[in-house]
Amino acid sequence: MNHVIKSPIAALCFVSASLTSGAQTSQGPRAGEVPHGWHLLDKTKDGFYGISANEAYDFVKSKNLKSNTVIVAVIDSGIDTLHEDLRPILWTNEKEIPGNGKDDDGNGYIDDVHGWNFIGGKDGRNGEEDSYEGARVYHSLKSKYEGQAIDTTQMAPDSLAEYKMWLKAKQKIEGESQEGAGLDLVMLKRAYSSAQKSDSILKKALKKDTFTGNDLDTFQATTVAEKAAKGGLIYLFRANQMMETTNVEFLQGFGEFVSGEERKAESREKAPPPYRAEIVGDNEADINDRYYGNSDIMAGTPFHGTHVSGIIAAVRDNNKGIQGIADNVRIMMVRAVPDGDEHDKDIALAIRYAVDNGAKVINMSFGKDFSPQKNWVDDAVKYAESKNVLLVHAAGNDGKDIDSADNFPNATLRAMHDRAKNWITVGASGDPNAGGLTASFSNYGKEEVDVFAPGVKIYSSVPGGNTYANAQGTSMASPVVAGTAAFLLSYFPTLSAEQVKDVIEKSAQVPADSVRKPGSDEMVALSDICKTGGIINAYEAAKLAYTIAPEQKKGKKNKRAPKSVLRNEQL
């Protein structure tokens, strides 16, 4: 993995400082400017490589098509349920009476009005941080394999797979790549401490506790200390293309990343603490022990899940903040992603919860290098496929080829010797005005990455009720695809999950020029690093969907959405 400071969510979203090589950097917004919402724009009309959302809406209106409500599940860190652009589009479980402490609908989850939290405790506590899966695998199997004479020729297939996974974890924890890790951590801690000191100086100079990078840019420093503080902090804002982000959010993300790196360093010496077990209290070894967690889907300040949800479905045309991609969606938040690596059991059950409660699209902006209970996740993926539910997953931000490097979860159903037909893996594209058509951080793969979608400088909702900011990563590209899928299902409700996948991929637009292979200076065709070789386009997808949904052209009424998804519960 390249040494890049990333967000506290599964290393899939750049919302913290990027201090070393491998990060997407900029000389500042003036050197690489894109407008807020550029990802929705059209190349021909607007000059930006967006998804042509307005053109897509013009098309469906020209065909007199009416929209149906579509439930989109977001498996993530949580959501600001009070946000002005998200509160009206929260999914509501009609069968559940809010706050009565009873499981009114009998699904095993008490008061699951807007979703469920699989990393919370029944006592109301919520899991925030967790260890990394590589450390969990290494220490859990160390006594079994360390120093033992292992004859791999005599091992059963499952045991051999486990042993190879442990060797991979051992190499990651103890390997040569860790030689400079101690120095890197020292430098990171110094940088974080310096940023905190600069922040303290600037708050006094600006006479306010909260300010953005843009505020800092216009501030005229007078003293030597103020000039030094401004120079150091604004460099970090600009390097991460976070000029609209507040100092509070920036330092929080930076601090969480440093904390995560400290946990990684500690994992080389001792087993990670049982963060999740201490709060959740389930039997993690038993997939059938599934009725745990709580109904708190907000759980503090869920930057990541709030940002992702806004990209998909923030209320359109309300003259507030931003425009989501899909105009008739209800967001079901399923909280399963901590600061650290998610657990396979939580992800498997989160998928099943979403499917059982009516989601037709599931966005998954998370990932990791190890998956010790991959069979549980694969079973859930197959279950979603059987129920005609589309899964959209972020490719990851390590600038690596995931054809050869592990990235979980994925579309390969290992034990079934099959590949999920309801799965889209998404890489992050950009714009020539902001660094190029491919994001330098994005993972790629000619076989494993299906499409690219805008994931650089994406402006969306963040916690605070009426607050918005830029973030970037394949975490942002994935909901662009999920939102487009929801749009298609809203206007073409008879399409299957596999057909929606097919439409999105076949309508992807292939760039005429070469693109930069992420993590390098090599120029290649996008088809060399992506299965379709294209960037998604909602307008082209809508036109293609219209040709394969003949019942729409005959003027038949769209199927009415279930009543349970139409009510907007006011919190």
Side-chain angles (χ1 to χ4, degrees):
M1 179 183 293
N2 51 358
H3 298 295
V4 182
I5 294 184
K6 299 171 185 169
S7 82
I9 298 298
L12 280 180
C13 168
F14 289 3
V15 295
S16 301
S18 301
L19 299 176
T20 56
S21 64
Q24 172 101 3
T25 60
S26 166
Q27 295 303 310
R30 293 182 179 82
E33 188 61 62
V34 288
H36 293 162
W38 75 267
H39 63 288
L40 303 175
L41 301 181
D42 177 78
K43 175 62 174 66
T44 301
K45 292 183 180 179
D46 307 304
F48 294 94
Y49 283 79
I51 66 170
S52 307
N54 290 336
E55 289 67 29
Y57 278 100
D58 288 343
F59 177 78
V60 295
K61 289 176 183 176
S62 74
K63 302 302 180 183
N64 295 315
L65 301 180
K66 304 299 182 183
S67 66
N68 301 263
T69 302
V70 175
I71 301 173
V72 177
V74 176
I75 301 176
D76 216 294
S77 65
I79 185 172
D80 182 353
T81 59
L82 302 178
H83 199 286
E84 62 180 5
D85 248 353
L86 300 178
R87 183 173 175 176
I89 53 87
L90 295 177
W91 168 74
T92 295
N93 181 356
E94 278 274 347
K95 299 178 182 179
E96 199 72 27
I97 300 173
N100 70 349
K102 298 179 181 180
D103 180 18
D104 300 293
D105 60 359
N107 70 352
Y109 301 101
I110 297 171
D111 287 337
D112 58 325
V113 178
H114 298 301
W116 193 249
N117 174 14
F118 281 100
I119 51 176
K122 291 183 179 180
D123 60 0
R125 290 185 299 157
N126 291 306
E128 300 291 345
E129 65 177 350
D130 210 322
S131 53
Y132 294 89
E133 195 69 83
R136 299 196 291 256
V137 168
Y138 172 69
H139 287 285
S140 67
L141 296 174
K142 186 175 181 180
S143 61
K144 184 175 181 178
Y145 293 119
E146 185 77 278
Q148 303 297 316
I150 305 296
D151 183 359
T152 57
T153 64
Q154 300 299 313
M155 299 180 82
D158 287 349
S159 296
L160 181 59
E162 179 185 82
Y163 178 60
K164 288 182 176 180
M165 178 178 64
W166 180 77
L167 289 177
K168 175 188 166 187
K170 175 182 171 67
Q171 182 180 17
K172 188 174 186 67
I173 299 298
E174 299 180 351
E176 293 179 355
S177 62
Q178 300 297 333
E179 184 175 336
L183 178 60
D184 288 345
L185 182 56
V186 169
M187 293 176 65
L188 279 175
K189 292 172 73 172
R190 286 177 180 171
Y192 178 52
S193 177
S194 177
Q196 288 178 304
K197 291 176 182 177
S198 295
D199 180 66
S200 179
I201 292 169
L202 292 167
K203 283 192 290 190
K204 292 179 180 178
L206 289 162
K207 294 183 173 59
K208 55 183 178 181
D209 291 334
T210 303
F211 56 87
T212 67
N214 286 327
D215 293 335
L216 189 57
D217 195 27
T218 59
F219 168 62
Q220 297 297 318
T222 56
T223 69
V224 173
E226 289 174 358
K227 290 178 181 178
K230 175 183 176 180
L233 202 55
I234 203 168
Y235 168 78
L236 297 177
F237 275 109
R238 282 179 169 165
N240 290 274
Q241 302 177 6
M242 295 174 65
M243 295 297 286
E244 294 89 357
T245 304
T246 70
N247 58 319
V248 176
E249 294 163 345
F250 180 84
L251 287 173
Q252 179 183 352
F254 196 168
E256 288 174 346
F257 178 80
V258 173
S259 177
E261 292 301 292
E262 288 179 318
R263 295 199 301 274
K264 286 182 181 179
E266 290 173 357
S267 72
R268 292 190 287 275
E269 305 298 330
K270 59 183 180 181
Y275 296 101
R276 178 189 172 283
E278 291 175 354
I279 292 175
V280 176
D282 67 317
N283 179 2
E284 195 178 349
D286 182 5
I287 189 63
N288 293 311
D289 178 13
R290 61 182 60 190
Y291 302 115
Y292 58 89
N294 64 46
S295 61
D296 184 0
I297 60 169
M298 190 164 175
T301 55
F303 183 106
H304 193 273
T306 301
H307 199 274
V308 165
S309 298
I311 294 169
I312 296 170
V315 179
R316 294 179 63 84
D317 302 320
N318 63 349
N319 297 316
K320 295 179 180 179
I322 59 170
Q323 301 229 44
I325 293 170
D327 68 342
N328 197 352
V329 157
R330 297 293 177 263
I331 292 291
M332 175 195 298
M333 175 54 63
V334 192
R335 189 169 183 267
V337 184
D339 171 15
D341 280 347
E342 62 279 359
H343 291 251
D344 288 338
K345 180 184 177 182
D346 298 334
I347 299 306
L349 294 181
I351 292 172
R352 289 180 177 273
Y353 176 90
V355 172
D356 288 341
N357 285 280
K360 300 308 295 181
V361 180
I362 300 176
N363 186 79
M364 302 184 294
S365 291
F366 54 82
K368 57 184 180 179
D369 295 336
F370 297 86
S371 184
Q373 286 84 36
K374 178 170 169 55
N375 59 311
W376 292 349
V377 179
D378 288 351
D379 286 344
V381 171
K382 197 67 177 177
Y383 179 66
E385 184 179 291
S386 75
K387 300 296 184 178
N388 200 28
V389 178
L390 182 68
L391 305 179
V392 185
H393 185 240
N397 293 336
D398 299 307
K400 67 183 181 183
D401 184 351
I402 58 174
D403 285 353
S404 55
D406 286 333
N407 184 58
F408 300 106
N410 55 42
T412 300
L413 307 176
R414 184 183 292 161
M416 305 167 201
H417 304 289
D418 195 7
R419 191 170 182 85
K421 300 177 180 62
N422 61 328
W423 186 286
I424 301 178
T425 298
V426 187
S429 64
D431 188 271
N433 293 288
L437 275 180
T438 51
S440 65
F441 52 76
S442 180
N443 287 349
Y444 57 92
K446 187 177 178 64
E447 299 299 326
E448 293 298 326
V449 175
D450 296 300
V451 291
F452 273 63
V456 174
K457 295 189 73 173
I458 306 300
Y459 192 68
S460 185
S461 47
V462 297
N466 60 352
T467 310
Y468 304 84
N470 277 338
Q472 61 185 33
T474 57
S475 276
M476 282 62 252
S478 181
V480 170
V481 175
T484 301
F487 162 79
L488 293 172
L489 283 170
S490 180
Y491 287 94
F492 306 97
T494 60
L495 294 179
S496 68
E498 188 174 353
Q499 284 178 314
V500 174
K501 169 182 165 69
D502 199 45
V503 164
I504 288 174
E505 293 178 359
K506 285 186 175 179
S507 63
Q509 300 297 286
V510 178
D513 299 326
S514 296
V515 301
R516 193 176 303 278
K517 180 189 288 187
S520 76
D521 291 325
E522 183 182 356
M523 301 302 292
V524 298
L526 188 57
S527 58
D528 290 336
I529 58 173
C530 168
K531 186 180 295 184
T532 63
I535 299 168
I536 75 155
N537 188 281
Y539 174 48
E540 296 299 331
K543 290 194 295 182
L544 180 56
Y546 187 72
T547 68
I548 63 172
E551 73 284 351
Q552 305 295 339
K553 293 189 288 185
K554 293 176 183 177
K556 293 183 179 180
K557 291 183 178 180
N558 292 353
K559 294 179 180 179
R560 191 170 177 80
K563 183 179 179 182
S564 64
V565 305
L566 299 179
R567 172 172 159 247
N568 298 326
E569 182 69 21
Q570 296 300 304
L571 296 181

